[in-house]
Amino acid sequence: MVQIVNKNKIIMVVDDDKNFAKLLEYNLTNEGYIVNTASSGKEALIKMDLKKHALLITDLKMPGMSGIEILRQAKEIDNSLPVIIITGQGDTVTAVEAMKLGAFDFITKPLKPNELIITVRNALNSRILIDKVSELRSQLETRYDFKNIIGSSEKMQAVFKMMENAVSSSVTVLIQGESGTGKELVARAIHYNGSRKERPFIVVNCAAIPETLLESELFGYERGAFTGALERKIGKFEQADNGTIFLDEIAEMSPMTQAKLLRVLEGKEVERLGGHERIKVDVRIISATNRELTEEVKESRFREDLYYRLMVFPITLPPLRERKGDVPLLISHFMNIYAKGAGKKISHFSGEAMEYLMGYSWPGNVRELENVIERAVVLCEGDTINLSHLPVGLDAFSGNRLPQVFDGGMETAKIVSLENMESEALKKALDIAEHNISRAAKELGIGRATFYRKAKKFGIL
Ligand SMILES: Nc1ncnc2c1ncn2[C@@H]1O[C@H](COP(=O)(O)OP(=O)(O)OP(=O)(O)O)[C@@H](O)[C@H]1O
Ligand SMILES: [Mg+2]
């Protein structure tokens, strides 16, 4: 029978006191761990293929190599290896040094078995967590690598230049551009390529959160601040400390919250609702909007002083219709991604299909294009995407002439999909309500959140 050894269970114990090492081994083996022992640091480092051990437990004072030295060398080989130090009486000074070098925790002689097991369990969990976090982080970093932002047009090249400048500092960035032009993508890329990448990137969508809740989301509250505040809540600004906060749809923020935000930006301090303490925060701010913020300022819907605080480093993303040359690149980018995801081998895009998409004005920009390609990949059964995989009537609302292929009486061109009708209704309502989401939703008799979700889906917001 083959015994399967879970590497998350193998522990190395180093102690020159053989009896104590035996005692540890006995206790740990009883809990189902697999224990290797060594009586000196040298022996441990030789015996140990560190990558195969989940945890190192070492005595501090030993002849020859000290526990501190073992810790240092072990960390050099595998920085995420948790190390537990065994200390006796009067080891305080070296214990502090061990902590600084990254020791996870201590156990003291004489041994208390319960304490040992809990400390070991915590250490092993911490490693699993560290590994998971670093795996997720590297996934994020690859995902938000500049090279995954597609665009060879001059306008996009100018954007990349701006982004590179923004990355090297913590300057406050305002990203403007129509819906679906990649504002959030750019914000993430700036964060994950900058010096704050190890720290959180916190997104706050000012349009999706009801006005009354936005303030407590941003700044948090103390227990008892209002009826229903049963626990203290840490706000997004505090969560983003040393990292980045992304204030999306900033133009939707109510005047009252705008005033509070301004105060936070000026003082670099937040105060939780119902609290008296001012908490220092170091947060990089990236905000985004699909509205013309200067217009909003002119119409007195957005505070001018806040506007100047936010637009220190403005980046404007061009609509897709102004960089049509990027359409084929984007098509192939999304085709690859979605075909791979679906396990399909799609390698071609028909000329007619390309012409059709090039003739469209893309009001929903890259998001709309991405949706069209995702759908085409689902429908495509061969290796080529052609007209039959694309939605009919894309041009019905774009004001463009239908491309050649649809002239000559093809009935299908006049059929408008339900989705298109729905998206048209949303757009009209927004127009009538002068881009006020709450009013537009009321106009259609649906909730604000529903409106938001649908508008997002169609690439209108
Ligand atoms: N240049 C680009 N290259 C590759 N993918 C892109 C590009 N621009 C946008 N996308 C993709 O298009 C989708 C929409 O982008 P994103 O959410 O960043 O847009 P947005 O400007 O924030 O839109 P909205 O104003 O509606 O919130 C995302 O899936 C994003 O990855
Ligand atoms: Mg967005």
Side-chain angles (χ1 to χ4, degrees), residues 178-185 205 246 248-249 288 290 367 452 456 461:
E178 289 178 13
S179 177
T181 46
K183 296 185 293 296
E184 181 160 349
L185 185 68
N205 189 319
F246 177 50
D248 203 2
E249 322 277 0
N290 52 24
R367 179 183 294 110
Y452 187 77
K456 201 85 189 166
L461 270 179

Side-chain angles (χ1 to χ4, degrees), residues 197-360:
K197 67 177 175 202
E198 309 273 317
R199 307 290 306 169
F201 178 83
I202 303 281
V203 179
V204 182
N205 189 319
C206 306
I209 302 170
E211 282 151 22
T212 44
L213 289 184
L214 183 57
E215 223 184 293
S216 62
E217 274 295 311
L218 286 171
F219 311 120
Y221 51 77
E222 292 294 343
R223 186 185 159 157
F226 47 84
T227 343
L230 299 178
E231 292 294 335
R232 162 189 284 177
K233 182 183 160 89
I234 301 295
K236 300 282 186 193
F237 263 94
E238 275 182 81
Q239 286 173 30
D241 200 17
N242 294 314
T244 303
I245 195 164
F246 177 50
L247 301 172
D248 203 2
E249 322 277 0
I250 187 88
E252 306 300 320
M253 197 178 261
S254 71
M256 201 173 76
T257 315
Q258 286 178 34
K260 294 229 160 135
L261 176 62
L262 182 67
R263 238 176 297 141
V264 170
L265 300 193
E266 280 168 350
K268 297 188 179 354
E269 289 176 334
V270 289
E271 202 173 311
R272 300 188 194 118
L273 262 74
H276 303 292
E277 188 191 354
R278 301 191 137 263
I279 302 144
K280 271 251 162 266
V281 284
D282 169 17
V283 175
R284 187 216 196 129
I285 293 161
I286 304 183
S287 48
T289 176
N290 52 24
R291 306 254 201 111
E292 201 49 71
L293 257 195
T294 44
E295 269 309 301
E296 300 298 305
V297 170
K298 234 187 260 158
E299 302 287 326
S300 306
R301 285 191 293 257
F302 202 81
R303 291 180 71 113
E304 191 171 13
D305 40 11
L306 179 59
Y307 169 69
Y308 285 114
R309 284 251 166 213
L310 294 175
M311 61 82 72
V312 182
F313 196 91
I315 297 180
T316 302
L317 296 181
L320 192 51
R321 66 181 169 282
E322 288 177 15
R323 51 179 189 108
K324 282 270 180 79
D326 289 340
V327 169
L329 290 180
L330 285 160
I331 290 176
S332 104
H333 173 72
F334 292 128
M335 216 167 81
N336 287 336
I337 291 179
Y338 287 108
K340 203 168 158 200
K344 291 187 175 180
K345 285 212 162 28
I346 302 174
S347 48
H348 292 80
F349 206 86
S350 86
E352 285 173 343
M354 185 63 82
E355 196 187 335
Y356 180 45
L357 295 190
M358 288 295 277
Y360 183 47

Side-chain angles (χ1 to χ4, degrees), residues 9-14 21-38 47 53 55 57 116 120:
K9 294 211 146 194
I10 310 178
I11 299 173
M12 169 58 81
V13 170
V14 197
K22 277 256 162 306
L23 187 63
L24 282 185
E25 183 176 2
Y26 172 79
N27 278 285
L28 291 169
T29 313
N30 268 348
E31 286 293 311
Y33 296 110
I34 295 151
V35 179
N36 293 324
T37 56
K47 265 191 177 174
H53 283 73
L55 172 66
I57 304 179
L116 168 75
V120 164

Side-chain angles (χ1 to χ4, degrees), residues 123-134:
L124 291 173
N125 285 339
S126 89
R127 178 181 195 140
I128 293 170
L129 211 64
I130 289 171
D131 287 350
K132 186 99 208 133
V133 167
S134 78

Side-chain angles (χ1 to χ4, degrees), residues 331-397:
I331 290 176
S332 104
H333 173 72
F334 292 128
M335 216 167 81
N336 287 336
I337 291 179
Y338 287 108
K340 203 168 158 200
K344 291 187 175 180
K345 285 212 162 28
I346 302 174
S347 48
H348 292 80
F349 206 86
S350 86
E352 285 173 343
M354 185 63 82
E355 196 187 335
Y356 180 45
L357 295 190
M358 288 295 277
Y360 183 47
S361 63
W362 301 108
N365 294 295
V366 184
R367 179 183 294 110
E368 189 181 8
L369 177 80
E370 181 174 354
N371 291 343
V372 166
I373 303 302
E374 181 181 10
R375 178 174 178 271
V377 167
V378 171
L379 294 175
C380 179
E381 274 159 6
D383 65 353
T384 305
I385 290 180
N386 56 45
L387 271 180
S388 71
H389 304 122
L390 299 177
V392 174
L394 273 187
D395 300 71
F397 300 108

Side-chain angles (χ1 to χ4, degrees), residues 25-179:
E25 183 176 2
Y26 172 79
N27 278 285
L28 291 169
T29 313
N30 268 348
E31 286 293 311
Y33 296 110
I34 295 151
V35 179
N36 293 324
T37 56
S39 58
S40 73
K42 209 164 160 196
E43 187 192 340
L45 291 171
I46 292 169
K47 265 191 177 174
M48 208 172 153
D49 176 6
L50 276 170
K51 294 275 178 216
K52 287 200 186 118
H53 283 73
L55 172 66
L56 168 67
I57 304 179
T58 177
D59 191 15
L60 197 53
K61 272 199 203 130
M62 283 181 293
M65 200 185 286
S66 72
I68 293 284
E69 188 52 27
I70 300 173
L71 167 65
R72 221 182 43 72
Q73 292 201 21
K75 285 279 176 187
E76 247 165 47
I77 302 170
D78 176 4
N79 191 34
S80 65
L81 179 82
V83 178
I84 294 174
I85 304 278
I86 307 163
T87 57
Q89 306 272 303
D91 285 338
T92 347
V93 178
T94 22
V96 169
E97 198 184 339
M99 217 51 175
K100 282 192 187 146
L101 283 170
F104 177 79
D105 206 345
F106 300 92
I107 48 177
T108 45
K109 289 180 181 177
L111 185 72
K112 295 172 211 68
N114 286 344
E115 206 177 282
L116 168 75
I117 300 306
I118 291 171
T119 311
V120 164
R121 220 174 270 156
N122 288 343
L124 291 173
N125 285 339
S126 89
R127 178 181 195 140
I128 293 170
L129 211 64
I130 289 171
D131 287 350
K132 186 99 208 133
V133 167
S134 78
E135 185 194 321
L136 287 174
R137 179 168 295 135
S138 79
Q139 274 177 17
L140 280 176
E141 278 167 26
T142 350
R143 190 152 159 220
Y144 297 114
D145 199 300
F146 280 20
K147 71 174 189 309
N148 287 328
I149 304 179
I150 306 301
S152 65
S153 57
E154 250 171 57
K155 288 192 171 173
M156 282 307 286
Q157 292 302 316
V159 166
F160 291 139
K161 270 225 177 78
M162 294 291 279
M163 288 173 68
E164 262 155 32
N165 289 330
V167 154
S168 52
S169 73
S170 284
V171 66
T172 302
V173 176
L174 171 66
I175 306 173
Q176 288 182 278
E178 289 178 13
S179 177

